[in-house]
Amino acid sequence: MKIDLNAMITESRNPASQAIDTLSTLDMLKVINDEDKKVALAVEQTLPRIAEAVDAIARAFQQGGRLIYAGAGTSGRLGILDASECPPTYGSDPSQVVGLIAGGQEAVFRAVENAEDNQTLGEDDLKNLNFCDKDVLIGIAASGRTPYVIGAMTYAKSVGATVGSISCNPDSTMSQLADIAMTPVVGPEVVTGSSRMKAGTAQKLILNMLTTGAMIRTGKVYGNLMVDVEATNAKLIERQKNIVTAATGASREDAEAALTACGGHCKTAIVMLLTGSTADKARQLLDNNQGFTRKAIQQVSSQN
């Protein structure tokens, strides 16, 4: 398969860094920093498409579906990173957001020869997850042409799932294949072709938005508080107490008592304190309102 690197913006030479090896360390870093400043602006241009993807993911979650990322190299690792952070932050099931990388677990730590060039492997990895039409697939590749990712996207479309893409080259194969193409054009890298830099940063920003937005849309956040956080270490136990006091204005002692009464679940403790409910009643209120803290509280207010 012939690859025309010259046609890709991500592979072009950056005139701002052509003499970077002659600069002082500080000036070298200024060049990198100046280029990095362009990333958020590029992401801003694709916000409407990111919003579409967030809403599609939230709908999938509400219907029992999953978000699956498929990528290779840096892109695959970023997907795995984003997926792995969801359970501790939002108390989500580890199977709800899954990151796939060409070459499997070994490829997280070192390159696996030819894995990203295997289109069938992308399809097979989705089949192994029993991927179905309720799920959402987001293909990630700076180039927009990685065969592994295209294989996964093609299979996902064949089963009727919503398919998105994150790439940094306009009019790429991936963007043409996707239902929702997110294409932040960040320009040439400081080190030619090193798409782990600006392109990787853009991908990370979008991945953050996708999961954060979908979790907010499915009731995992109250105000700006992560009210489904799992207290798996001393820091997070403290964070839970801070979250409950911030959300309710209650004393630390009352927050601790509420958390103890409900088994350490922030949402339930918040509803208990703001509605005067027992733990069981607070849980019922949350169940009645699909886990949305604000709606649970409003239900009680509307009945009084």
Side-chain angles (χ1 to χ4, degrees), residues 26-53:
L26 180 57
D27 286 340
M28 172 186 72
L29 298 179
K30 285 180 178 178
V31 170
I32 296 173
N33 184 236
D34 285 342
E35 290 299 308
D36 285 343
K37 291 173 185 175
K38 300 174 182 178
V39 175
L41 297 176
V43 171
E44 182 181 24
Q45 296 302 308
T46 195
L47 283 177
R49 304 298 277 167
I50 299 170
E52 284 183 54

Short mmCIF file of all heavy atoms in Angstrom, two decimals, residues 26-53:
data_model
loop_
_atom_site.label_atom_id
_atom_site.label_comp_id
_atom_site.label_asym_id
_atom_site.label_seq_id
_atom_site.Cartn_x
_atom_site.Cartn_y
_atom_site.Cartn_z
N LEU A 26 16.09 27.51 26.06
CA LEU A 26 14.92 28.33 26.32
C LEU A 26 14.21 28.71 25.02
O LEU A 26 12.98 28.62 24.92
CB LEU A 26 15.30 29.59 27.10
CG LEU A 26 14.14 30.53 27.44
CD1 LEU A 26 13.06 29.82 28.23
CD2 LEU A 26 14.67 31.75 28.20
N ASP A 27 14.97 29.13 24.02
CA ASP A 27 14.36 29.51 22.75
C ASP A 27 13.72 28.30 22.06
O ASP A 27 12.68 28.42 21.41
CB ASP A 27 15.40 30.17 21.84
CG ASP A 27 15.75 31.58 22.30
OD1 ASP A 27 14.93 32.17 23.05
OD2 ASP A 27 16.82 32.08 21.92
N MET A 28 14.37 27.15 22.19
CA MET A 28 13.80 25.91 21.65
C MET A 28 12.43 25.64 22.27
O MET A 28 11.45 25.34 21.57
CB MET A 28 14.74 24.75 21.96
CG MET A 28 14.20 23.36 21.63
SD MET A 28 15.33 22.08 22.21
CE MET A 28 15.08 22.19 23.99
N LEU A 29 12.34 25.77 23.59
CA LEU A 29 11.08 25.52 24.27
C LEU A 29 10.03 26.57 23.93
O LEU A 29 8.83 26.27 23.89
CB LEU A 29 11.31 25.47 25.79
CG LEU A 29 12.24 24.35 26.27
CD1 LEU A 29 12.41 24.40 27.78
CD2 LEU A 29 11.72 22.98 25.84
N LYS A 30 10.46 27.79 23.66
CA LYS A 30 9.52 28.83 23.25
C LYS A 30 8.87 28.47 21.91
O LYS A 30 7.68 28.72 21.71
CB LYS A 30 10.22 30.19 23.15
CG LYS A 30 10.52 30.83 24.50
CD LYS A 30 11.22 32.18 24.32
CE LYS A 30 11.48 32.85 25.66
NZ LYS A 30 12.20 34.15 25.50
N VAL A 31 9.64 27.90 21.01
CA VAL A 31 9.10 27.47 19.72
C VAL A 31 8.03 26.39 19.94
O VAL A 31 6.92 26.45 19.38
CB VAL A 31 10.21 26.94 18.79
CG1 VAL A 31 9.61 26.28 17.56
CG2 VAL A 31 11.14 28.07 18.38
N ILE A 32 8.36 25.41 20.79
CA ILE A 32 7.40 24.34 21.08
C ILE A 32 6.14 24.92 21.72
O ILE A 32 5.02 24.59 21.34
CB ILE A 32 8.04 23.28 22.00
CG1 ILE A 32 9.20 22.58 21.27
CG2 ILE A 32 7.00 22.25 22.44
CD1 ILE A 32 10.00 21.64 22.15
N ASN A 33 6.32 25.79 22.68
CA ASN A 33 5.19 26.39 23.39
C ASN A 33 4.31 27.23 22.45
O ASN A 33 3.07 27.18 22.53
CB ASN A 33 5.70 27.25 24.55
CG ASN A 33 4.61 27.83 25.40
OD1 ASN A 33 4.52 29.04 25.60
ND2 ASN A 33 3.75 26.98 25.94
N ASP A 34 4.94 27.98 21.56
CA ASP A 34 4.17 28.78 20.60
C ASP A 34 3.33 27.89 19.69
O ASP A 34 2.19 28.24 19.35
CB ASP A 34 5.11 29.64 19.75
CG ASP A 34 5.66 30.85 20.52
OD1 ASP A 34 5.06 31.20 21.56
OD2 ASP A 34 6.67 31.43 20.07
N GLU A 35 3.89 26.77 19.29
CA GLU A 35 3.13 25.83 18.46
C GLU A 35 1.99 25.19 19.26
O GLU A 35 0.88 25.01 18.75
CB GLU A 35 4.05 24.76 17.87
CG GLU A 35 5.01 25.28 16.82
CD GLU A 35 4.28 25.88 15.62
OE1 GLU A 35 3.39 25.19 15.05
OE2 GLU A 35 4.58 27.02 15.24
N ASP A 36 2.26 24.85 20.52
CA ASP A 36 1.23 24.24 21.36
C ASP A 36 0.04 25.17 21.56
O ASP A 36 -1.10 24.72 21.72
CB ASP A 36 1.80 23.84 22.73
CG ASP A 36 2.68 22.60 22.66
OD1 ASP A 36 2.59 21.87 21.65
OD2 ASP A 36 3.44 22.36 23.62
N LYS A 37 0.28 26.48 21.56
CA LYS A 37 -0.81 27.45 21.75
C LYS A 37 -1.85 27.35 20.63
O LYS A 37 -3.00 27.76 20.81
CB LYS A 37 -0.25 28.87 21.79
CG LYS A 37 0.58 29.17 23.04
CD LYS A 37 1.25 30.55 22.93
CE LYS A 37 2.17 30.81 24.10
NZ LYS A 37 2.91 32.10 23.95
N LYS A 38 -1.46 26.82 19.51
CA LYS A 38 -2.38 26.72 18.36
C LYS A 38 -3.37 25.57 18.51
O LYS A 38 -4.39 25.53 17.81
CB LYS A 38 -1.59 26.54 17.07
CG LYS A 38 -0.61 27.68 16.78
CD LYS A 38 0.25 27.37 15.56
CE LYS A 38 1.27 28.48 15.30
NZ LYS A 38 2.15 28.18 14.14
N VAL A 39 -3.07 24.64 19.42
CA VAL A 39 -3.86 23.42 19.49
C VAL A 39 -5.29 23.68 19.95
O VAL A 39 -6.25 23.22 19.34
CB VAL A 39 -3.17 22.38 20.41
CG1 VAL A 39 -4.05 21.15 20.57
CG2 VAL A 39 -1.81 21.99 19.84
N ALA A 40 -5.44 24.42 21.04
CA ALA A 40 -6.79 24.68 21.57
C ALA A 40 -7.66 25.42 20.55
O ALA A 40 -8.87 25.18 20.46
CB ALA A 40 -6.71 25.46 22.87
N LEU A 41 -7.05 26.31 19.78
CA LEU A 41 -7.80 27.03 18.75
C LEU A 41 -8.27 26.10 17.64
O LEU A 41 -9.37 26.25 17.11
CB LEU A 41 -6.95 28.17 18.18
CG LEU A 41 -6.55 29.26 19.18
CD1 LEU A 41 -5.61 30.27 18.52
CD2 LEU A 41 -7.79 29.97 19.72
N ALA A 42 -7.43 25.13 17.31
CA ALA A 42 -7.82 24.14 16.30
C ALA A 42 -8.96 23.28 16.81
O ALA A 42 -9.92 22.97 16.07
CB ALA A 42 -6.62 23.27 15.92
N VAL A 43 -8.89 22.89 18.07
CA VAL A 43 -9.97 22.10 18.66
C VAL A 43 -11.26 22.91 18.70
O VAL A 43 -12.36 22.38 18.45
CB VAL A 43 -9.57 21.62 20.07
CG1 VAL A 43 -10.77 20.99 20.79
CG2 VAL A 43 -8.42 20.63 20.00
N GLU A 44 -11.15 24.20 18.98
CA GLU A 44 -12.34 25.07 19.03
C GLU A 44 -13.13 25.01 17.72
O GLU A 44 -14.37 25.04 17.73
CB GLU A 44 -11.92 26.51 19.32
CG GLU A 44 -13.08 27.47 19.43
CD GLU A 44 -12.62 28.90 19.71
OE1 GLU A 44 -11.46 29.24 19.38
OE2 GLU A 44 -13.42 29.68 20.25
N GLN A 45 -12.43 24.91 16.61
CA GLN A 45 -13.09 24.90 15.31
C GLN A 45 -13.96 23.66 15.10
O GLN A 45 -14.86 23.67 14.26
CB GLN A 45 -12.04 24.98 14.19
CG GLN A 45 -11.26 26.28 14.17
CD GLN A 45 -12.15 27.49 14.03
OE1 GLN A 45 -12.99 27.56 13.13
NE2 GLN A 45 -12.00 28.46 14.92
N THR A 46 -13.70 22.62 15.87
CA THR A 46 -14.47 21.38 15.69
C THR A 46 -15.43 21.11 16.83
O THR A 46 -16.00 20.02 16.92
CB THR A 46 -13.51 20.18 15.47
OG1 THR A 46 -14.24 19.07 14.95
CG2 THR A 46 -12.79 19.77 16.73
N LEU A 47 -15.68 22.11 17.68
CA LEU A 47 -16.58 21.92 18.82
C LEU A 47 -17.99 21.45 18.43
O LEU A 47 -18.55 20.58 19.13
CB LEU A 47 -16.67 23.21 19.64
CG LEU A 47 -15.49 23.52 20.57
CD1 LEU A 47 -15.70 24.87 21.25
CD2 LEU A 47 -15.31 22.42 21.62
N PRO A 48 -18.59 21.95 17.35
CA PRO A 48 -19.92 21.45 17.00
C PRO A 48 -19.94 19.94 16.75
O PRO A 48 -20.90 19.25 17.13
CB PRO A 48 -20.27 22.24 15.73
CG PRO A 48 -19.50 23.52 15.87
CD PRO A 48 -18.20 23.11 16.50
N ARG A 49 -18.90 19.43 16.12
CA ARG A 49 -18.83 17.98 15.87
C ARG A 49 -18.56 17.21 17.16
O ARG A 49 -19.10 16.12 17.37
CB ARG A 49 -17.74 17.69 14.84
CG ARG A 49 -17.90 18.42 13.53
CD ARG A 49 -19.19 18.03 12.84
NE ARG A 49 -19.07 16.81 12.08
CZ ARG A 49 -20.09 16.12 11.59
NH1 ARG A 49 -21.33 16.53 11.81
NH2 ARG A 49 -19.91 15.02 10.89
N ILE A 50 -17.75 17.79 18.04
CA ILE A 50 -17.50 17.15 19.33
C ILE A 50 -18.81 17.06 20.12
O ILE A 50 -19.11 16.04 20.76
CB ILE A 50 -16.42 17.91 20.13
CG1 ILE A 50 -15.09 17.90 19.36
CG2 ILE A 50 -16.22 17.27 21.51
CD1 ILE A 50 -14.04 18.82 19.96
N ALA A 51 -19.61 18.13 20.06
CA ALA A 51 -20.90 18.14 20.75
C ALA A 51 -21.82 17.03 20.21
O ALA A 51 -22.51 16.36 20.98
CB ALA A 51 -21.57 19.51 20.60
N GLU A 52 -21.82 16.84 18.90
CA GLU A 52 -22.60 15.75 18.31
C GLU A 52 -22.17 14.41 18.88
O GLU A 52 -23.00 13.55 19.20
CB GLU A 52 -22.42 15.73 16.79
CG GLU A 52 -23.16 16.78 16.01
CD GLU A 52 -22.97 16.59 14.52
OE1 GLU A 52 -23.24 15.47 14.02
OE2 GLU A 52 -22.52 17.53 13.85
N ALA A 53 -20.86 14.22 18.98
CA ALA A 53 -20.33 12.96 19.48
C ALA A 53 -20.70 12.76 20.95
O ALA A 53 -21.08 11.66 21.36
CB ALA A 53 -18.82 12.91 19.29
#
